Amino acid sequence: MTKLDPVLLEIIQNRLLEIGREAGTAMVRTAASPVVIESKDFGFNICDHLGRTVVYSLWMPRHGTTLNFMLQSSLKRFGANGIHPGDMILVNNPYDGALHVLDLAVIAPVHKDGELVAWTACATHHMDMRAMRPGICSEATDWYQEGIVFRPIKLVERGQLREDIFDLIMDNVRVPHYTGLDLKSQIAANNVAGRRIL
């Protein structure tokens, strides 16, 4: 194994941390809801090509842990051949790692010359996800009453927003303005981080 220069290691580590901060800042600047802008209730991870976390959430730590599980579920669902440059995966299924259905993750592969080199992933709490009432439904007797659930599904496919999936979400939430802009802020954060990594 080649010995890694400790100075170079420190430079790379700090650069990756800064990319995570910059992606989170992009999210705050493009989101609409106070959950993101004021509370900073989101997380942003950077992972290697195998999905191992390299930069753990610099914002809300609990999102960093759930993002790792949701990324692994996405890899299991789509496999190596099912992920393409420009794809972004949406997931909020608790059985795939989400803390609850109001936490939506958007996960993106980073490709260099067609080769998968890294992953970026962000999750945030959304104000409404079509539950039996707005917010957290502590009186729900099953998870279907808590809101619409997404197993890993492509929200962006080969660089194009899937309008069918996006419209499905917008048609089923009480605050589509907030939800739509927050989802697009997650896409933007992944785009910023992907460009910086490359």
Side-chain angles (χ1 to χ4, degrees):
M1 181 175 184
T2 306
K3 185 177 179 183
L4 187 62
D5 178 0
V7 174
L8 178 60
L9 178 63
E10 191 69 16
I11 290 169
I12 293 169
Q13 177 184 4
N14 282 293
R15 179 62 180 135
L16 289 172
L17 287 170
E18 191 54 39
I19 290 170
R21 283 190 194 95
E22 187 176 350
T25 301
M27 199 167 155
V28 170
R29 290 182 176 172
T30 56
S33 76
V35 173
V36 177
I37 297 168
E38 302 298 333
S39 299
K40 312 288 190 291
D41 187 355
F42 67 89
F44 194 91
N45 284 10
I46 298 173
C47 302
D48 70 6
H49 66 292
L50 298 175
R52 297 174 297 195
T53 302
V54 177
V55 173
Y56 186 80
S57 176
L58 303 168
W59 303 87
M60 179 73 72
R62 69 180 173 84
H63 285 298
T65 302
T66 60
L67 278 167
N68 184 51
F69 290 118
M70 289 186 276
L71 173 55
Q72 295 305 321
S73 292
S74 299
L75 286 168
K76 185 177 178 182
R77 178 150 198 206
F78 290 105
N81 297 326
I83 304 292
H84 305 99
D87 287 351
M88 291 197 196
I89 300 164
L90 172 72
V91 59
N92 73 336
N93 182 357
Y95 288 100
D96 286 305
L99 187 61
H100 60 169
V101 298
L102 294 172
D103 287 345
L104 270 67
V106 178
I107 301 166
V110 179
H111 289 84
K112 172 77 171 165
D113 299 326
E115 181 183 354
L116 179 65
V117 295
W119 290 90
T120 62
C122 57
T124 189
H125 180 93
H126 284 258
M127 295 174 63
D128 180 63
M129 202 35 57
R130 198 210 71 171
M132 57 194 294
R133 64 173 176 75
I136 296 173
C137 301
S138 56
E139 71 275 18
T141 57
D142 64 43
W143 74 329
Y144 297 104
Q145 296 175 357
E146 294 180 18
I148 190 168
V149 177
F150 293 97
R151 290 185 63 214
I153 187 170
K154 291 184 183 180
L155 177 63
V156 178
E157 194 161 17
R158 298 180 191 255
Q160 296 296 314
L161 178 67
R162 288 195 52 193
E163 298 287 347
D164 56 345
I165 301 298
F166 189 78
D167 290 345
L168 171 70
I169 298 167
M170 296 306 100
D171 290 343
N172 285 286
V173 295
R174 294 173 181 87
V175 285
H177 174 72
Y178 284 143
T179 303
L181 286 176
D182 285 0
L183 266 177
K184 287 182 177 180
S185 78
Q186 291 178 264
I187 293 169
N190 280 321
N191 283 334
V192 166
R195 283 195 302 269
R196 297 297 184 264
I197 289 168
L198 293 176

